[in-house]
Each structure stands twice: as C-alpha cells, then as structure tokens.
Amino acid sequence: PVHYMWVGVSHSIMTGTLYGVMMGSMAVSGRIYGSSKILVSSPWLLTVVFGFISDCIPIMGYHRKYYASIGWTIVAGTHMVLAVSFEDPKIPRYCRDTLHGDLGNFVQEAGICNPDADESAWFLVYVCAVGTIGLALAESAADGLLVECAQSYNEKSKSGVVMIQSLAIRLFGGALGSSFTALCFNGRKHLGFFDWEIDFNFINYFLFGSALCVAVLWQKLACRDM
C-alpha cells in the first residue's frame, strides 16, 4: 500500500510541477510542452520489459524487491539532481502585467523580461524522464508481486479485492499529489492563483527523501522469495 500510494503522489507532483515550470516561468510553446509531456510519460511503456526481466533474472534470489528498490533509488536520484543542479527561473520569461487587465500575472502582453528562461527546459525534461523510468521499474516489480500474492489466496473474491484495493490506493495517492500541487505550487509565476508557493527545490528534496524511504521499506519488508 505504501508503494502504490507513493507512486501516485510522486507521479502527480512530478507532472504538476513540470507543467508549472515549463508553461509558467519558462513559458515554452504548447507544442514543446506537449512533446515534453510525451517524452516524460513514454518510459511507462517499458513496464512489460521490466516485468519480463524481473521474472526471468532474479537478483540475489529475489524477483521483485531489489528491482523495486532500484527503481525507487533512481527516482530519489533524479529528484536530488533536480534539487541540486536545476534552478527554476527566478524571473519568468514574461513580465508582470500592470496594464492589460490581468494584473499581477505574468503575461505575454506585458513583454519579455527574461528571454533565456527556457534555456534549461530540456535538462528538466530528460531528468524527469529518467525519474519515470525508475517509477516504471518499481511499478512493474510491485505489480508482479501483487499478482503472485493475489494468486496465493484460495478465495477468488479475496484475490480480486486485493487488486482493486491497490488500484484505489494508487488513485488516492494521485489525488493527494494533485492536491498538494494545487495548494503548494500554484503561484502566479507558474500560472497559478496564489502570491505564495513552496520552492521547487524544496519539493524535490521532499520527493528525494520520500523515494529513498520507500526504497528502504522495500528492502526491509518485501521478504518473500518470488
């Protein structure tokens, strides 16, 4: 349950902050953002490959837990890289509006204040894509373990409940992540409504720490040799 909830939380926050930075402070075109979103999401296609590898190539006798732990470690590493090496533009690409009826917001009509705001956009995209690879690896391992556990129940109804519960927990985690982004990363410079927000680097430190904790939990609690 911790794994599935935190996959939802981590993925929602990652995609939410990606949108806020790229479309807000960097103000890239919709075409570039659309391409970036596809690139960041594309590693989910690898879950079948990762599942096949974890089924056929155990690590130290375990088919699941080390793959999941490695995946979460990759996620933690990507957020640490973002926290240390990436800086959200302090001055957005567009100036703050004072004349055009959208007062307080950063809009194109107000002119360009930082023409180089989007210079590190692709670095952000590539690092987030690596983070999605880690999530996909951990998710494929968790799904394999979940299927094995569901099949171990004698009652078919109980095995079905386990699968539905895990899906519900993941959706709940996604809702938590989206709510966090809406409340805490919704400043005007990121196309939001508030005059305050949590710093992008702090969010990445938080995601780094939480991903590392989940990786450790996989090591400590996933004991079945599947």
Side-chain angles (χ1 to χ4, degrees):
V2 173
H3 164 88
Y4 280 108
M5 187 183 73
W6 218 253
V7 165
V9 170
S10 182
H11 186 254
S12 293
I13 294 178
M14 180 191 295
T15 54
T17 53
L18 182 71
Y19 172 82
V21 172
M22 294 196 69
M23 295 295 287
S25 57
M26 290 185 173
V28 301
S29 66
R31 172 179 55 84
I32 292 177
Y33 171 72
S35 301
S36 302
K37 186 176 180 181
I38 292 172
L39 180 61
V40 171
S41 300
S42 60
W44 286 111
L45 299 173
L46 298 174
T47 53
V48 176
V49 177
F50 291 148
F52 177 79
I53 293 173
S54 64
D55 279 337
C56 299
I57 308 175
I59 299 177
M60 289 186 284
Y62 290 89
H63 289 272
R64 312 298 180 195
K65 79 171 186 176
Y66 285 107
Y67 284 100
S69 185
I70 291 170
W72 279 109
T73 302
I74 293 173
V75 175
T78 57
H79 288 296
M80 176 56 73
V81 169
L82 288 176
V84 173
S85 302
F86 176 80
E87 185 174 352
D88 182 23
K90 291 182 171 58
I91 302 175
R93 179 179 179 84
Y94 296 126
C95 302
R96 188 185 294 271
D97 183 24
T98 57
L99 299 171
H100 300 89
D102 201 8
L103 303 182
N105 292 322
F106 299 87
V107 296
Q108 186 174 1
E109 292 79 7
I112 296 178
C113 284
N114 184 7
D116 298 324
D118 61 347
E119 63 181 0
S120 56
W122 287 111
F123 175 77
L124 172 64
V125 172
Y126 291 143
V127 175
C128 287
V130 174
T132 307
I133 291 175
L135 282 178
L137 177 59
E139 186 81 331
S140 64
D143 287 344
L145 182 58
L146 180 66
V147 170
E148 295 281 354
C149 291
Q151 291 174 343
S152 68
Y153 290 111
N154 294 325
E155 300 178 16
K156 292 184 178 179
S157 59
K158 189 172 182 180
S159 63
V161 168
V162 171
M163 303 292 286
I164 293 175
Q165 285 176 341
S166 299
L167 177 60
I169 291 171
R170 193 184 192 286
L171 292 175
F172 176 71
L176 284 179
S178 297
S179 299
F180 174 85
T181 306
L183 293 174
C184 301
F185 195 72
N186 200 22
R188 293 180 183 270
K189 67 180 290 189
H190 296 123
L191 301 184
F193 305 102
F194 303 147
D195 292 322
W196 69 276
E197 62 182 3
I198 295 179
D199 183 70
F200 181 72
N201 288 348
F202 179 84
I203 292 175
N204 279 291
Y205 279 122
F206 167 72
L207 292 175
F208 160 75
S210 61
L212 205 59
C213 288
V214 180
V216 172
L217 284 177
W218 268 100
Q219 288 295 310
K220 297 296 184 181
L221 300 181
C223 300
R224 295 181 63 183
D225 184 4
M226 306 303 294

